[in-house]
Amino acid sequence: MSEEKKRVASGTRLDPWYNVYADRALGMRQSEVRQLFAVANRPEVVSLAGGMPNISGLPLDFLSEMMARLVRERGTKILQYGGGQGEEELREMIVEVMRPDGVRGHPDDITVTTGSQQALDLISEIFLNPGDVVLAEAPSYVGALGTFRAYQANVVHVQMDAHGIIPEKLEETIEELERTGKPIKFLYTIPNFHNPAGVVLSADRRPQIAGICERHHVLIVEDNPYGLLGFNGDPLPSLQTFNPDGVVYLGSFSKTFAPGFRIGWAFAPPAVSSRITLANENAILCPTTFGQLAIAEYLRTYDWYAQIEKYRAQYRERGEAMQKALEKYMPMCTWNRPSGGFYTWVKLPEGLNAHEMLPRAVTNLVAYVSGTAFYADGQGTDHMRLSFCYPTPERITEGVRRLGEVITSEAELVNMFGIGKK
């Protein structure tokens, strides 16, 4: 027996259970976003990294009184176990929350989850075998990529541009995979204010994408946490509206209300929905009853849509601050101009590597997320994601100024010594 096999057979000095783990556990790794948290949360660092919503404008007095009333009047209900599908009164309100997307649904086809991240996990559990293909935009949400990796899926990226995923590229990719006999389980997409690219799938492409997937019998997983956070109004019609039987729609209250409740949902065709509910029961028995009924009461008794409009105004102001700061301090870069959501996707000058540059940025007291976090295949070294959702406009401006200094210094080194060039 080789030394390596002996080491694995007996575990390691740091982890004696190494040889006991399932194969999928050995493929897990912490996301680049989470790795930054300890540093980025230091008060002297301007964090343009995390996608934390700005909840300073929440009606805290109203919420404290509302939740006290809930405990007082319905304490034995909200502190008890619930059903695996989620509380019906919240599911009824979710139907109303989806209406601005054009989605017309029934509460029976909604499963409440622990954030939409858990919904991604449940969908992966019921659809993915090791080696199955998941199609995803290039780039794609780091949390989704981590989940697909945990279930040993093969993520195949599909090219996107300023108008979202490119229909012709999607069909070419599907046809090539069909020729090789690789099973495609679903397309994962964020059509509204994409994370990290910040773009919106255009109106003319939405029916095309839905039609391509319907022809090839490819399920669509439509992740829509940011849809209501457009700077200038409600989102374009959901992909679900073009093929209701071929789309699983994911939503979350983390961005439009408060992430601390950890409440999201999956709205799916009936047969799929029942399996998601079974998987949910197996995983957690039931979602938090307290959190569900608190959100249901908030939606029922408060003008939640007016609160959404306040969020839109906040993020519009921050997004404009980001654009102005980029124009002033980082003209050597190119970037998208988001019309909503949380993120700006920035392309670095030739020769710079966002992943390698990050420690020097943190030394200069500014943090971002390297583009490498958003690909399954090693791409993204020439991009970075900047978040404008949480810092004040003044902090955004200062953070971009600091980052501009780092990029200028790195570019000078590249030009002088050829560092980073192949």
Side-chain angles (χ1 to χ4, degrees):
M1 181 182 292
S2 69
E3 289 303 314
E4 174 64 17
K5 288 183 178 179
K6 289 179 181 178
R7 183 186 67 79
V8 172
S10 61
T12 69
R13 290 179 63 186
L14 293 177
D15 186 356
W17 299 103
Y18 182 89
N19 61 312
V20 181
Y21 294 129
D23 291 343
R24 61 181 173 273
L26 300 178
M28 293 178 179
R29 62 177 182 265
Q30 189 177 35
S31 78
E32 293 188 32
V33 178
R34 293 291 172 184
Q35 288 173 352
L36 281 170
F37 268 26
V39 171
N41 286 339
R42 286 161 41 193
E44 68 272 23
V45 176
V46 177
S47 177
L48 305 176
M52 293 190 300
N54 191 303
I55 58 174
S56 60
L58 280 174
L60 296 181
D61 289 342
F62 173 86
L63 292 175
S64 63
E65 294 172 4
M66 182 199 79
M67 286 189 277
R69 185 177 68 253
L70 273 177
V71 173
R72 188 169 56 248
E73 297 177 0
R74 304 181 66 186
T76 56
K77 169 69 174 177
I78 66 174
L79 300 176
Q80 187 55 273
Y81 286 119
Q85 188 173 6
E87 295 299 313
E88 184 174 8
E89 57 190 281
L90 177 60
R91 290 186 281 117
E92 289 173 348
M93 296 305 302
I94 288 172
V95 170
E96 300 303 315
V97 170
M98 294 191 297
R99 285 189 184 277
D101 268 318
V103 177
R104 300 294 179 264
H106 192 279
D108 288 350
D109 298 324
I110 293 170
T111 303
V112 179
T113 57
T114 305
S116 59
Q117 184 68 33
Q118 193 216 358
L120 276 173
D121 186 85
L122 297 176
I123 290 165
S124 298
E125 179 185 348
I126 66 175
F127 280 106
L128 295 178
N129 293 313
D132 285 346
V133 170
V134 173
L135 300 175
E137 293 134 333
S140 188
Y141 167 50
V142 60
L145 297 179
T147 297
F148 304 150
R149 185 185 305 114
Y151 283 93
Q152 300 171 282
N154 176 24
V155 176
V156 175
H157 286 296
V158 181
Q159 186 178 343
M160 65 189 303
D161 59 20
H163 306 288
I165 194 167
I166 302 171
E168 295 78 12
K169 296 296 183 182
L170 174 62
E171 189 140 41
E172 288 174 10
T173 302
I174 291 174
E175 290 174 349
E176 175 61 27
L177 289 165
E178 288 175 340
R179 283 193 291 272
T180 61
K182 296 179 180 178
I184 304 170
K185 290 302 179 73
F186 53 82
L187 165 67
Y188 172 74
T189 180
I190 307 172
N192 296 316
F193 317 119
H194 187 272
N195 179 6
V199 303
V200 174
L201 181 63
S202 64
D204 61 311
R205 289 186 181 182
R206 292 180 181 234
Q208 293 181 63
I209 297 299
I212 290 168
C213 289
E214 185 175 14
R215 288 197 302 275
H216 292 274
H217 197 60
V218 174
L219 182 72
I220 295 175
V221 177
E222 179 179 13
D223 198 356
N224 190 36
Y226 311 101
L228 288 176
L229 298 178
F231 298 157
N232 301 305
D234 286 337
L236 295 169
S238 163
L239 290 167
Q240 193 273 348
T241 65
F242 299 104
N243 182 16
D245 293 330
V247 177
V248 177
Y249 175 105
L250 307 185
S252 174
F253 291 107
S254 292
K255 307 300 189 294
T256 57
F257 180 40
F261 283 105
R262 302 305 301 132
I263 296 291
W265 71 90
F267 171 56
V272 177
S273 181
S274 65
R275 292 184 184 274
I276 292 174
T277 297
L278 286 174
N280 203 30
E281 291 175 342
N282 289 337
I284 61 169
L285 296 182
C286 64
T288 162
T289 307
F290 190 5
Q292 290 183 80
L293 295 184
I295 291 179
E297 185 72 3
Y298 165 77
L299 295 171
R300 187 179 64 82
T301 61
Y302 193 78
D303 189 347
W304 63 270
Y305 192 84
Q307 182 64 40
I308 293 291
E309 292 180 323
K310 291 179 182 178
Y311 281 140
R312 287 172 173 169
Q314 282 184 350
Y315 297 136
R316 184 188 307 116
E317 179 186 26
R318 285 163 166 75
E320 290 172 354
M322 174 71 76
Q323 294 297 318
K324 291 178 181 177
L326 289 170
E327 291 168 0
K328 183 174 181 179
Y329 297 114
M330 290 170 50
M332 72 293 285
C333 300
T334 57
W335 57 87
N336 68 310
R337 294 181 177 271
S339 57
F342 287 6
Y343 307 110
T344 300
W345 187 234
V346 178
K347 189 176 191 302
L348 294 171
E350 183 179 358
L352 269 62
N353 184 308
H355 185 73
E356 294 176 357
M357 191 176 70
L358 182 56
R360 293 182 280 279
V362 172
T363 299
N364 208 40
L365 301 181
V366 62
Y368 60 85
V369 183
S370 167
T372 54
F374 304 100
Y375 292 89
D377 55 9
Q379 298 182 65
T381 58
D382 59 345
H383 276 81
M384 60 175 63
R385 189 192 75 178
L386 302 183
S387 301
F388 54 80
C389 46
Y390 188 76
T392 63
E394 294 75 21
R395 292 277 284 176
I396 289 170
T397 301
E398 175 60 17
V400 174
R401 186 194 67 78
R402 295 176 187 178
L403 185 55
E405 290 180 344
V406 176
I407 293 172
T408 298
S409 176
E410 292 292 302
E412 289 174 352
L413 288 173
V414 167
N415 292 331
M416 188 178 303
F417 300 110
I419 298 171
K421 291 185 176 180
K422 300 296 184 184

